[in-house]
Amino acid sequence: MFSRQYRISRYLAAGIIACTLMLIVIAGCLQNGAQSKSTMSATQAATQVSIRAQYAPGDIPRLGTAALEQANTSLNAIAALPPGERTFDNTVLAFDTAMTDYTDAIYPLTLMGYVYPDPQVAAEGMALEESSAVFLNDIYTRRGLYDAVKGVSPRTAGESRLCNLTIREFNRNGLKLPDDRLARVRQLNNELSGLESRFSANLNNDNTTLVFTEKELAGVPAASFASFDKTPQGSYRVTMKYPDYMAVMKYATLNTTRKAMYMAYNNRQADENTALLEKAITLRQSLATELGYPTWADYKIEGRMAGNSDRVMAFLNSIKEPLKEKCRTENAELLFVKKDLDPAATTLDPWDVTYLQENLVLRKYAYDENEVKEYFPADGTVQGIFRMYGELFGIRFEEVRDAPVWSPDVRLYRVTNLTGGATVGYLYLDLYPREGKYGHFATFPVISGRMKDGTWSVPVTIIVGNFPAPQENKPGLLTMYDVETLFHEGGHAMHYILTTVPYGTWSGFNTEWDFVETPSQTLEEWVWDPQVMTSLSGHYTNTSQKIPAELRDRVIAARDAGTGHYYGRIMANSLEDMEYHTAQGPVNVTSVSARVYAEMEIPQAEGIHQPASFEHLMGGYDAGYYGYLWSKVYALEIADTFKHDGMTNQTTGMRFRQDILSQGNMQDGGVLLENFLGKEPGTEAFYKRLGITKTPD
Ligand SMILES: [Zn+2]
């Protein structure tokens, strides 16, 4: 369970995956503890400049098998050491080395599953990813390794902590249980995986469509019609895919059309997936009981910043009321708009929300997104981000022009320290769509930063994205949302590259699950700073022409529209997730969902089955959805320090680099935050972001 591949996503209210961080969470992810600390020097030269970029069919499986054999040899050697010879270095550190040697070997190969132009090679990359996940899982059920780690006598408190955390991860896989009960845990885990796979497959294969006449689709932009299939009768077939769904919900003027769409969308796989989720919840309860935890949530949250389900609930409860108030205010505002459009209207219906929000933004902030985009050509914006991060973190990005790449539009950058000139990392950018390429935005781990054989091994990472491709005489133009996404992914990349942690399994963004989105969400805030936005902008026809201040200010003001519903939904989803996974006995997910949405005052219709398409709960986010809010609250606290010191203040930037970005998982996220903030993190900045005054408890 601990080394499965997770995809971490930024979740928007309507369900788009905007950003994903592909992250193999390796069991152990050992925190704190290690005493020695590496620092890089210019003499510790970069050992790898680029990764292999050309593969023939058969190469990836062969290399994957070789890496697996090497890992088994190393791991078996650790397990086989005579008890008298066992030390921290030859066991716990050797384990870290074996695990990282393996991931350094396979990550560049599994990456090809997402980006390689030849479909056969790409398929081999994906297959390796699946088999390596199984292999990594299996490692934590090996009794020989468990006994080996338990046999180490740590010399220091730090070593002791690392040993304990390693042992805990084996325990979490059932290894402290006798063999018959371990077998039951394995069986329950397999059964659970089966339910999760079926749930996701049902949604991936869902082909619900609705047929509307042109009249019924009044208001929907012409560009969207191009993607609808036409029926022989001349009507249009609309799918439940995100662009289709949003086009109707945002722009269709007829309530009946939006209602039909809303009901169909929120009833996808209603019967089968509701049953699968409810069964999974019961199964998770049994697993938690077998493993000795009061609830599944407590099992999942152990080892994260929050620590246990009570702390998560206390956190959610601390921001619930003001969020509800914010939703209530927005509801009133939306109803006002509705009455203006239709004087007979008396209530706000759930299928009105997106439509009226769009209408409100147009009324209040009137600007054309296409005009704004012209000031943010992709190349210029990337260079702007490099300038910004360079200034903040004392680094320089320089293109490696002769690097081998798998597609001509891929770029490689060397990142060096301004002081001393040492190479700190390499960053690939693969930003434009290609046939068969991964369709969202993600930052992938490629080579871990760590000490290897006494030398610093320089980290390599990649941002894979899908910006609008350049046209013949026009560069790709970015919306503000695209720019924010680039800052977000850039934050993950900085976290990965600026690490100084000597241990591969704890370096970079191998942090606690509910901390990992903190650096990325922090850096999103830069986009919305007026000076930064101006400095990033440059009209594609003449880059010295900046975005006009008046337009810029309207763009910034429009950011606040709908924040109550946006965060209110994340809150409702977090609450239902926690209720499902702290329950004892069967749960009726549909009624819990209806209750929490009502509690947050987010309009929801009767007769829908929202949990049936709540993929996160069957894709690794179970008892983890709160992490979006948790990370965001801390991200805003960090950004607030910059707002006080100046968004481009290098002293504060270097402190952020030192106290948080470089630290990986060497300390708990809470400790890192306190080091940087100089105080315990609170929720004030989050309240400020929402424009609400905190009511005293
Ligand atoms: Zn992210």
Side-chain angles (χ1 to χ4, degrees):
M1 286 298 288
F2 305 104
S3 45
R4 62 188 290 182
Q5 173 130 28
Y6 290 107
R7 173 182 301 176
I8 299 178
S9 2
R10 187 148 67 115
Y11 180 62
L12 294 190
I16 357 171
I17 293 173
C19 138
T20 55
L21 165 64
M22 304 300 297
L23 172 61
I24 304 238
V25 179
I26 293 180
C29 279
L30 304 172
Q31 305 143 348
N32 276 348
Q35 293 292 305
S36 61
K37 195 167 168 206
S38 86
T39 43
M40 279 173 285
S41 71
T43 53
Q44 289 167 335
T47 48
Q48 61 283 93
V49 173
S50 61
I51 59 169
R52 177 170 166 180
Q54 297 301 325
Y55 296 89
D59 285 351
I60 285 180
R62 197 185 63 249
L63 292 164
T65 304
L68 182 142
E69 282 165 2
Q70 178 58 52
N72 271 333
T73 304
S74 307
L75 293 168
N76 291 339
I78 295 168
L81 275 173
E85 290 175 25
R86 203 165 287 297
T87 65
F88 179 82
D89 287 2
N90 70 21
T91 303
V92 179
L93 284 190
F95 183 68
D96 173 71
T97 302
M99 295 298 278
T100 313
D101 285 349
Y102 178 68
T103 54
D104 278 0
I106 64 151
Y107 284 171
L109 306 174
T110 55
L111 170 68
M112 296 303 145
Y114 294 84
V115 298
Y116 206 75
D118 176 340
Q120 195 183 337
V121 172
E124 290 176 353
M126 292 312 280
L128 177 61
E129 182 171 273
E130 274 174 44
S131 63
S132 66
V134 172
F135 174 67
L136 286 163
N137 273 330
D138 168 72
I139 290 171
Y140 288 91
T141 63
R142 296 187 186 180
R143 269 206 200 277
L145 281 171
Y146 178 60
D147 293 338
V149 177
K150 281 208 302 185
V152 169
S153 305
R155 293 161 299 192
T156 65
E159 288 185 3
S160 167
R161 182 175 160 81
L162 289 191
C163 290
N164 289 340
L165 288 170
T166 312
I167 292 164
R168 187 187 72 191
E169 293 306 325
F170 279 96
N171 286 340
R172 283 172 59 80
N173 265 339
L175 275 173
K176 70 177 168 189
L177 302 174
D179 279 345
D180 55 331
R181 287 182 57 203
L182 176 61
R184 164 127 175 99
V185 166
R186 279 206 185 108
Q187 179 225 323
L188 287 171
N189 266 326
N190 288 342
E191 225 176 295
L192 181 58
S193 295
L195 298 178
E196 291 175 343
S197 303
R198 274 167 59 201
F199 187 99
S200 300
N202 284 344
L203 286 174
N204 287 343
N205 301 331
D206 181 87
N207 52 10
T208 306
T209 55
L210 291 179
V211 174
F212 293 110
T213 61
E214 192 169 347
K215 220 170 155 186
E216 287 168 331
L217 289 171
V220 175
S224 298
F225 275 87
S227 70
F228 302 153
D229 279 343
K230 215 164 177 179
T231 69
Q233 293 75 30
S235 292
Y236 294 89
R237 190 176 295 283
V238 182
T239 73
M240 298 296 130
K241 302 276 181 269
Y242 182 74
D244 281 12
Y245 179 68
M246 282 311 280
V248 172
M249 297 312 285
K250 258 188 181 178
Y251 301 111
T253 49
L254 285 179
N255 289 350
T256 45
T257 301
R258 279 184 273 111
K259 180 179 179 181
M261 199 70 187
Y262 169 90
M263 295 305 290
Y265 186 81
N266 285 292
N267 274 311
R268 283 171 299 152
Q269 300 299 320
D271 293 340
E272 207 179 324
N273 274 5
T274 302
L276 286 171
L277 175 60
E278 289 179 349
K279 197 164 174 209
I281 290 167
T282 314
L283 238 159
R284 288 166 180 162
Q285 286 172 15
S286 309
L287 253 174
T289 307
E290 279 294 337
L291 292 165
Y293 295 82
T295 68
W296 180 252
D298 288 295
Y299 169 68
K300 289 288 282 194
I301 296 165
E302 181 192 60
R304 294 182 184 168
M305 272 181 89
N308 59 52
S309 62
D310 287 345
R311 284 197 62 207
V312 171
M313 287 315 296
F315 164 76
L316 293 176
N317 284 327
S318 75
I319 51 174
K320 188 171 142 188
E321 282 306 312
L323 265 179
K324 186 202 284 199
E325 262 174 58
K326 186 84 178 165
C327 288
R328 194 181 297 149
T329 311
E330 288 181 7
N331 286 341
E333 206 175 3
L334 294 176
L335 183 59
F336 182 83
V337 177
K338 188 175 178 183
K339 282 179 172 167
D340 190 52
L341 295 169
D342 171 16
T346 52
T347 55
L348 179 68
D349 291 314
W351 44 88
D352 294 333
V353 174
T354 309
Y355 176 74
L356 295 174
Q357 275 174 341
E358 186 65 18
N359 193 290
L360 188 67
V361 168
L362 281 176
R363 285 168 186 235
K364 253 177 141 167
Y365 310 103
Y367 66 82
D368 182 357
E369 190 173 76
N370 294 311
E371 187 193 343
V372 179
K373 273 160 66 170
E374 298 193 339
Y375 292 96
F376 298 95
D379 275 352
T381 311
V382 167
Q383 292 309 318
I385 288 182
F386 285 170
R387 262 199 327 274
M388 195 63 56
Y389 288 1
E391 201 175 328
L392 274 175
F393 306 131
I395 48 177
R396 179 188 294 124
F397 294 78
E398 131 200 34
E399 189 173 345
V400 180
R401 292 196 183 272
D402 48 357
V405 286
W406 47 92
S407 171
D409 52 349
V410 177
R411 299 279 175 271
L412 174 64
Y413 297 87
R414 179 187 290 116
V415 184
T416 52
N417 273 331
L418 282 177
T419 308
T423 299
V424 291
Y426 286 91
L427 171 65
Y428 283 92
L429 295 181
D430 185 350
L431 295 180
Y432 301 102
R434 266 195 311 278
E435 179 77 32
K437 189 182 130 175
Y438 176 69
H440 300 289
F441 274 82
T443 303
F444 292 73
V446 181
I447 305 281
S448 299
R450 59 163 166 156
M451 289 300 287
K452 190 183 176 186
D453 307 325
T455 306
W456 178 253
S457 178
V458 174
V460 181
T461 186
I462 176 168
I463 298 174
V464 178
N466 284 275
F467 283 144
Q471 304 297 317
E472 239 170 68
N473 44 13
K474 219 179 184 183
L477 299 176
L478 309 187
T479 64
M480 289 322 296
Y481 185 74
D482 293 332
V483 179
E484 191 183 57
T485 301
L486 198 53
F487 267 80
H488 179 102
E489 298 303 338
H492 286 312
M494 290 298 96
H495 199 185
Y496 198 79
I497 281 177
L498 296 178
T499 200
T500 56
V501 174
Y503 312 111
T505 51
W506 318 317
S507 77
F509 47 53
N510 276 318
T511 65
E512 293 148 295
W513 174 261
D514 48 8
F515 184 71
V516 72
E517 294 289 334
T518 301
S520 54
Q521 296 198 90
T522 300
L523 286 159
E524 284 174 23
E525 294 302 307
W526 266 253
V527 181
W528 304 99
D529 177 78
Q531 278 71 44
V532 173
M533 194 183 279
T534 301
S535 133
L536 283 174
S537 70
H539 199 275
Y540 78 94
T541 56
N542 169 12
T543 50
S544 64
Q545 195 189 328
K546 300 292 182 186
I547 185 169
E550 186 268 340
L551 176 60
R552 174 201 68 193
D553 292 345
R554 272 183 290 142
V555 171
I556 292 173
R559 186 193 182 196
D560 291 333
T563 47
H565 274 85
Y566 176 78
Y567 290 112
R569 271 171 203 280
I570 300 182
M571 172 60 80
N573 292 341
S574 305
L575 288 171
E576 61 175 305
D577 174 25
M578 288 304 292
E579 185 157 341
Y580 301 158
H581 294 113
T582 51
Q584 308 288 346
V587 178
N588 180 329
V589 293
T590 313
S591 70
V592 171
S593 162
R595 180 162 45 69
V596 294
Y597 269 78
E599 231 178 280
M600 291 309 295
E601 305 205 12
I602 294 172
Q604 214 193 31
E606 273 178 43
I608 65 161
H609 294 80
Q610 177 265 343
S613 52
F614 192 176
E615 263 189 289
H616 295 73
L617 298 192
M618 295 292 261
Y621 277 80
D622 40 303
Y625 202 83
Y626 74 91
Y628 287 111
L629 284 172
W630 185 275
S631 293
K632 187 71 184 177
V633 165
Y634 298 136
L636 289 170
E637 280 280 82
I638 297 170
D640 223 39
T641 305
F642 281 96
K643 281 173 191 162
H644 177 267
D645 297 355
M647 295 306 271
T648 52
N649 184 317
Q650 200 188 70
T651 309
T652 312
M654 291 304 277
R655 269 205 316 113
F656 183 42
R657 174 177 173 178
Q658 172 59 36
D659 291 348
I660 292 181
L661 296 176
S662 73
Q663 295 292 319
N665 209 345
M666 296 300 282
Q667 306 235 44
D668 287 348
V671 175
L672 300 182
L673 282 164
E674 253 188 87
N675 288 347
F676 176 78
L677 297 169
K679 59 167 187 173
E680 233 179 276
T683 48
E684 289 74 17
F686 184 69
Y687 282 84
K688 218 190 298 172
R689 173 82 193 83
L690 290 174
I692 46 187
T693 321
K694 189 174 181 180
T695 42
D697 298 326

